[in-house]
């Protein structure tokens, strides 16, 4: 079904084929996941529906063990893969966000391409709506992210460093729960250090009566989770608690709005308005959220400029934050599945 949509777009643009090269997009359509480094990895889909996977020769046996059933072209180091096939396309669709100038020249010389078109939006639209199988994997990744927060909170004690908490979370989730990789670098920030939205965990020690910000996710069968909790260690200052309550109100209001047919940008504006009305508008410095799936950040942006609507099967994050330099940083983030008549929150650790 996914490939059929690509074939339809090839024909709609009067092209001869699509050339897909982002490793995760190759996996999405072929079932074969690889990091080819500098070598060529590409999935060619023709207007007739033929599928040809170009891989380094050393990976051919791995492809045979994957779900891919099309033609496989393995090329050795130093070998020209375009000389191993006989194709000629006047026009080809490519991922314009990924194609390098070097690869473009190879397509012109190898396939006789004269005109290029884009397949990016079609791929984004397909990946935007998850299948039931994809949703199940994201739900499990979300459950494991909840467990990570639990592990981290239980480890908190006065004097522990941010780095120590990060290492403990990752060790426990990998050794006891079988997680092979995190979605991104785990973030644990204490007190005023959390006022940097993309702060780097360091040797800052935990003190009484401050907040701890956890931002993390795991990969489960290639699908990601991404969640944030800001947890009180003791009794934070009145201002810090006020900031927390504003962010929580904004997050809840935004989530309550999410359902099919709602304009995505309106949800961002709702949360942003609540934070601005409380006097913290200048300290909310990023979009409200983003798509989630094979990548921790993917299409679509949950942002004020987005005029698209929510549709069933989308999975997005909602993560308002307020960051007052030198004082306090609070972010609360959940993973949200858009259902047929509303939404389902996939991350559950207490807020």
């Amino acid at each position: 079904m996914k490939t059929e949509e690509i074939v339809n777009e090839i024909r709609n643009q009067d092209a001869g084929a699509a050339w897909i090269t982002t490793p995760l997009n190759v996996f999405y359509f072929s079932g074969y996941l690889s990091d080819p480094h500098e070598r060529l990895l590409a999935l060619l889909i023709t207007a007739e529906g033929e599928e040809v996977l170009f891989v380094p020769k050393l990976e051919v046996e791995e492809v045979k063990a994957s779900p891919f059933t099309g033609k496989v072209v393995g090329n050795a180091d130093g070998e020209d893969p375009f000389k191993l096939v006989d194709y000629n396309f006047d026009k080809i669709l490519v991922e314009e966000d990924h194609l390098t100038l070097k690869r473009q020249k190879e397509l012109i010389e190898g396939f006789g391409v004269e005109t290029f078109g884009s397949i990016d939006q079609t791929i984004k639209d397909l990946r935007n709506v998850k299948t039931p199988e994809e949703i199940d994997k994201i739900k499990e990744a979300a459950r494991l992210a909840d467990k990570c927060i639990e592990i981290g909170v239980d480890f908190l004690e006065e004097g522990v460093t941010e780095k120590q908490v990060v290492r403990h979370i990752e060790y426990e989730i990998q050794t006891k729960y079988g997680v092979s990789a995190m979605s991104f670098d785990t973030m644990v920030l204490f007190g005023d250090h959390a006022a940097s939205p993309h702060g780097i965990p360091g040797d800052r020690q935990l003190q009484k009566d401050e907040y701890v910000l956890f931002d993390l996710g795991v990969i489960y069968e290639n699908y990601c989770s991404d969640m944030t909790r800001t947890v009180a260690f003791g009794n934070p200052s009145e201002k810090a608690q006020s900031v927390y309550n504003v962010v929580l109100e904004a997050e809840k209001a935004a989530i309550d709005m999410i359902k099919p047919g709602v304009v995505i940008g309106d949800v961002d504006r709702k949360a942003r308005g609540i934070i601005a009305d409380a006097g913290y508008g200048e300290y909310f410095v990023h979009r409200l959220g983003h798509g989630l799936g094979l990548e921790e950040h993917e299409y679509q942006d949950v942002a004020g400029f987005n005029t698209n609507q929510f549709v069933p099967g989308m999975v997005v994050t909602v993560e308002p934050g307020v960051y007052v330099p030198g004082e306090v940083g609070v972010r609360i983030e959940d993973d949200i599945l858009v259902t047929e008549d509303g939404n389902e929150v996939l991350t559950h650790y207490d807020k």
Side-chain angles (χ1 to χ4, degrees):
M1 184 63 179
K2 297 172 184 176
T3 303
E4 289 177 7
E5 294 295 330
I6 297 297
V7 171
N8 289 338
E9 184 60 21
I10 294 168
R11 295 173 180 173
N12 288 340
Q13 294 195 41
D14 196 26
W19 182 252
I20 299 170
T21 50
T22 302
L24 283 177
N25 284 338
V26 171
F27 168 72
Y28 182 76
F29 291 103
S30 71
Y32 177 66
L33 183 62
S34 168
D35 180 359
H37 302 290
E38 76 282 0
R39 298 179 172 97
L40 175 66
L41 172 71
L43 177 64
L44 178 74
I45 301 174
T46 71
E48 292 74 36
E50 183 183 10
E51 299 175 40
V52 184
L53 187 60
F54 292 78
V55 298
K57 197 164 188 176
L58 53 84
E59 296 184 20
V60 170
E61 291 303 313
E62 294 294 325
V63 178
K64 291 178 181 178
S66 78
F68 183 68
T69 58
K71 180 179 178 180
V72 181
V73 177
N75 57 285
D77 291 346
E79 188 174 27
D80 183 352
F82 296 95
K83 291 184 178 179
L84 303 176
V85 293
D86 184 19
Y87 292 106
N88 191 277
F89 305 109
D90 291 336
K91 181 178 180 180
I92 196 167
L93 307 185
V94 299
E95 295 173 87
E96 59 183 350
D97 288 340
H98 190 254
L99 186 72
T100 65
L101 180 60
K102 176 177 181 288
R103 295 298 189 202
Q104 183 186 35
K105 290 178 179 179
E106 291 173 349
L107 288 171
I108 292 171
E109 296 172 3
F111 289 158
V113 177
E114 297 180 0
T115 306
F116 291 87
S118 174
I119 195 65
D120 294 70
Q121 192 59 49
T122 300
I123 294 175
K124 288 178 180 179
D125 289 340
L126 285 168
R127 284 182 53 178
N128 183 49
V129 178
K130 273 61 179 180
T131 65
E133 292 76 17
E134 289 178 297
I135 290 168
D136 286 344
K137 292 174 183 179
I138 295 171
K139 284 183 175 181
E140 180 61 14
R143 186 189 71 82
L144 290 165
D146 280 327
K147 179 58 68 173
C148 286
I149 301 290
E150 179 184 319
I151 291 168
V153 171
D154 288 346
F155 189 66
L156 295 179
E157 62 180 24
E158 193 173 358
V160 73
T161 69
E162 295 165 336
K163 284 182 179 178
Q164 287 174 329
V165 179
V166 169
R167 286 195 291 265
H168 179 73
I169 291 170
E170 295 187 350
Y171 175 81
E172 291 286 306
I173 202 68
Q174 292 177 21
T175 58
K176 295 184 179 180
Y177 296 92
V179 170
S180 59
M182 308 302 286
S183 303
F184 51 91
D185 291 341
T186 300
M187 186 186 301
V188 177
L189 304 172
F190 299 156
D192 60 334
H193 198 189
S196 175
H198 278 177
I200 299 174
D203 294 322
R204 165 74 153 80
Q205 292 183 316
L206 182 59
Q207 304 168 19
K208 286 183 178 179
D209 301 331
E210 63 182 3
Y211 278 115
V212 178
L213 188 152
F214 298 87
D215 189 352
L216 51 79
V218 308
I219 299 174
Y220 177 77
E221 294 189 5
N222 302 306
Y223 284 82
C224 298
S225 54
D226 179 6
M227 71 178 294
T228 306
R229 287 293 185 270
T230 304
V231 178
F233 182 72
N235 188 32
S237 70
E238 186 175 334
K239 180 174 181 178
Q241 291 184 49
S242 174
V243 169
Y244 182 91
N245 290 335
V246 169
V247 173
L248 182 59
E249 179 186 355
E251 201 227 11
K252 287 182 175 179
I255 292 171
D256 286 346
M257 283 185 66
I258 295 176
K259 64 180 179 180
V262 170
V263 174
I264 295 172
D266 289 347
V267 176
D268 179 286
R269 282 187 285 273
K270 178 67 174 181
R272 204 168 298 277
I274 290 171
I275 291 172
D277 289 345
Y280 296 109
E282 66 180 295
Y283 302 116
F284 182 13
V285 293
H286 54 73
R287 64 192 171 185
L288 181 64
H290 52 79
L292 183 69
L294 286 171
E295 297 169 277
E296 74 274 14
H297 284 194
E298 61 180 46
Y299 184 76
Q300 298 187 43
D301 289 320
V302 183
F305 58 77
N306 193 339
T307 59
N308 294 329
Q309 297 179 354
F310 289 103
V311 298
M314 288 177 62
V315 179
V316 299
T317 68
V318 172
E319 49 182 300
V322 170
Y323 314 92
V324 183
E327 294 187 53
V328 61
V330 173
R331 183 167 63 254
I332 305 171
E333 175 185 16
D334 285 293
D335 301 340
I336 314 296
L337 167 67
V338 184
T339 61
E340 292 294 333
D341 56 1
N343 71 73
E344 178 183 351
V345 180
L346 306 183
T347 37
H348 301 292
Y349 192 87
D350 184 50
K351 293 184 283 190

